[in-house]
Amino acid sequence: MRILSGIQPSGALHLGNYYGMMRRALMLQNEGEAVYFIADYHALTTVHDAKALRENVWHVAAAFLACGLDPRRSLLFRQSAVPEVHELAWLLSIVTPVGLLERCHSYKDKIARGIQASHGLFAYPVLMAADILLYQADRVPVGKDQKQHIEVARDLAMKFNHIFGEVFRVPEPDIQETVAVVPGLDGQKMSKSYRNTIELFCSAKATEKKIMAIKTDSTPVEAPKPIEGSLLIAFYRLVATADELQEWIASMQRGGIGYGEYKRQLAAKLNQALEPIRERYLYYENHRDEVWDILKEGGVRARGLAKETLERAREVTGIS
Ligand code: AQP
C-alpha cells in the first residue's frame, strides 16, 4: 500500500496540521510505503516572497522529521523537485469539468477571505490530483477540509482511466473523524492564513499565552460550564486520553473551577505533548543542511516514481 500526503509551505505549522494530518500520516509509515511532499507550487498561490517560501519549505521539512518521519523508510521531497507533475496536471485538466472546480469550497473560502482569485487558485485541485495520482497513492491522510479535493482526484482518475485506459490507482481519503477539523482561536478552522493558530514550534510560554487569552463566557466559578462548542475542550481532546477527556468534561459540568484553571491545565498538557517534537526540531535548527540533503535525495527518488506513471499517461494519450 502506498500512502501519500503533502503540506503547503505557506506559514508556520499549527495544531490543525499536526493533529489533523501529520500525526496520522506518520503513523501510517508502519503500514506501507509512505510518500510525503512539500507543496511549494501550491504555496505560490498565496506566498509571493522567494525568501519566505524557501524558509517555509525548510520549516515544513524539519517539522516532518521532528514529528517522526523516518527518511530511511519514507520519501520526503519538494513538489518542485518533480516538474513532471505539471505535465500530468495538464493531461488531467483535459478531463476536468469547469463546474467541478467551481464547486470546490476551498477556492470560494479563500476568495471570501480576500485572496486573489487567480487561475492557480482555481486550478489548485487539478494540480493536487496530479500530486496524488503521479505516485499511484492508495491512501491519502488529510484533514476534513481536503476531503472534497480527494474526491476531485478520484473523479479525475476514474474519468481518465475510462477515456484513455487504466493508468491511475483510485485513492482513498484517510480522515480521523475526532480531529477532522481542529478549530482556530476564533472558532473557525485553524489555518495558517487566518491568523488564528497555535503554532507547533514555539516556546511553551507562547503557547500558554495564547491559551490564557482564549475568550470564554462569564459563567461564575461555582456554576457548571457550557460544554457545547467549547474551544478548551476541542483543544484538550487533541492531547488527552478518552478517560482524561471524560473526567475533564465531567468536572466542567459539576462547576466549582474557573476557566483560568482549566486554561492552565490545558496549556500544561499541550506543552507536555509537544515537548519531544519541539526538542527534535531544535536539533534540526542546529543541523539545517541535513534537512536540505534529505529533501534533495527524496526528490531524486520521487522523480523516478513519477516518470513511470507519466510515461504510461503519455502513452495512452498518444503524446509519447
Ligand atoms: N484546522 C485543521 N484541522 C484539521 N486538519 C487540518 N489541516 C490543515 N488545517 C487543519 C490539514 O493539514 C494538512 C496540510 O494542510 P495544508 O497546509 O496543505 O493546507 P490547508 O488545509 O489549507 O492548511 P492551512 O493551515 O489552512 O493552510 P493555508 O492557510 O495556507 O491554506 C491537510 O491535510 C489539511 O487537511
Side-chain angles (χ1 to χ4, degrees):
M1 177 178 67
R2 187 168 287 159
I3 299 120
L4 174 136
S5 208
I7 300 193
Q8 296 184 71
S10 47
L13 296 186
H14 51 73
L15 299 186
N17 295 129
Y18 181 60
Y19 290 103
M21 186 280 268
M22 292 170 86
R23 188 172 59 160
R24 170 74 181 154
L26 292 171
M27 264 162 55
L28 288 172
Q29 284 183 116
N30 302 323
E31 290 184 28
E33 188 189 352
V35 174
Y36 305 116
F37 69 98
I38 301 169
D40 49 358
Y41 286 134
H42 284 289
L44 277 179
T45 56
T46 52
V47 181
H48 299 154
D49 174 331
K51 197 166 162 237
L53 185 71
R54 281 189 204 103
E55 189 50 39
N56 289 346
V57 166
W58 185 90
H59 163 66
V60 174
F64 260 125
L65 293 164
C67 292
L69 186 145
D70 177 354
R72 288 162 304 180
R73 280 195 291 166
S74 306
L75 269 186
L76 177 66
F77 63 99
R78 292 175 85 147
Q79 184 186 28
S80 57
V82 188
E84 283 77 6
V85 74
H86 292 297
E87 187 172 342
L88 184 59
W90 177 253
L91 297 180
L92 293 174
S93 75
I94 305 305
V95 299
T96 308
V98 171
L100 186 68
L101 299 182
E102 281 171 341
R103 285 194 294 279
C104 285
H105 52 69
S106 164
Y107 174 70
K108 290 188 262 188
D109 289 351
K110 287 201 164 152
I111 288 173
R113 295 248 177 189
I115 294 171
Q116 197 205 344
S118 64
H119 173 257
L121 199 61
F122 184 66
Y124 187 116
V126 182
L127 184 57
M128 182 164 159
D131 289 326
I132 297 168
L133 303 180
L134 195 53
Y135 301 99
Q136 304 287 356
D138 298 290
R139 255 157 96 180
V140 187
V142 282
K144 204 170 188 167
D145 60 314
Q146 293 294 338
K147 186 169 183 235
Q148 192 182 29
H149 289 163
I150 308 296
E151 278 158 11
V152 170
R154 288 172 55 83
D155 281 2
L156 299 189
M158 287 188 273
K159 202 155 171 208
F160 186 99
N161 286 347
H162 179 70
I163 295 174
F164 293 109
E166 280 304 306
V167 173
F168 303 116
R169 283 190 212 162
V170 180
E172 291 286 341
D174 184 310
I175 298 172
Q176 296 282 284
E177 280 308 323
T178 48
V179 290
V181 184
V182 176
L185 292 162
D186 57 0
Q188 304 293 308
K189 183 196 106 157
M190 188 175 284
S191 192
K192 297 184 213 92
S193 48
Y194 297 172
R195 297 177 189 285
N196 64 356
T197 64
I198 297 178
E199 291 174 16
L200 269 185
F201 301 104
C202 60
S203 67
K205 260 252 131 351
T207 302
E208 188 181 344
K209 202 168 159 201
K210 284 200 172 174
I211 301 283
M212 295 311 287
I214 290 174
K215 276 203 191 104
T216 40
D217 57 38
S218 52
T219 309
V221 172
E222 62 280 3
K225 311 288 175 292
I227 300 304
E228 200 59 31
S230 163
L231 262 189
L232 300 184
I233 293 176
F235 292 144
Y236 200 75
R237 181 187 301 282
L238 302 175
V239 284
T241 63
D243 285 350
E244 286 168 341
L245 181 66
Q246 213 176 17
E247 172 46 37
W248 222 56
I249 293 175
S251 152
M252 282 195 176
Q253 285 172 324
R254 278 193 303 274
I257 298 179
Y259 281 122
E261 176 54 25
Y262 286 118
K263 288 180 187 176
R264 268 187 290 279
Q265 289 178 11
L266 170 61
K269 190 98 181 140
L270 257 179
N271 280 329
Q272 189 191 23
L274 297 177
E275 196 185 325
I277 64 171
R278 285 173 170 169
E279 256 174 38
R280 284 197 292 272
Y281 187 81
L282 206 62
Y283 166 85
Y284 288 108
E285 277 190 324
N286 293 320
H287 299 81
R288 286 181 66 90
D289 285 349
E290 261 185 48
V291 176
W292 288 124
D293 290 346
I294 288 167
L295 277 180
K296 201 166 159 192
E297 200 194 313
V300 173
R301 284 165 59 204
R303 203 164 182 195
L305 295 178
K307 280 184 173 163
E308 284 174 26
T309 303
L310 185 63
E311 209 34 59
R312 294 217 324 264
R314 291 180 121 233
E315 208 172 293
V316 296
T317 48
I319 291 293
S320 63

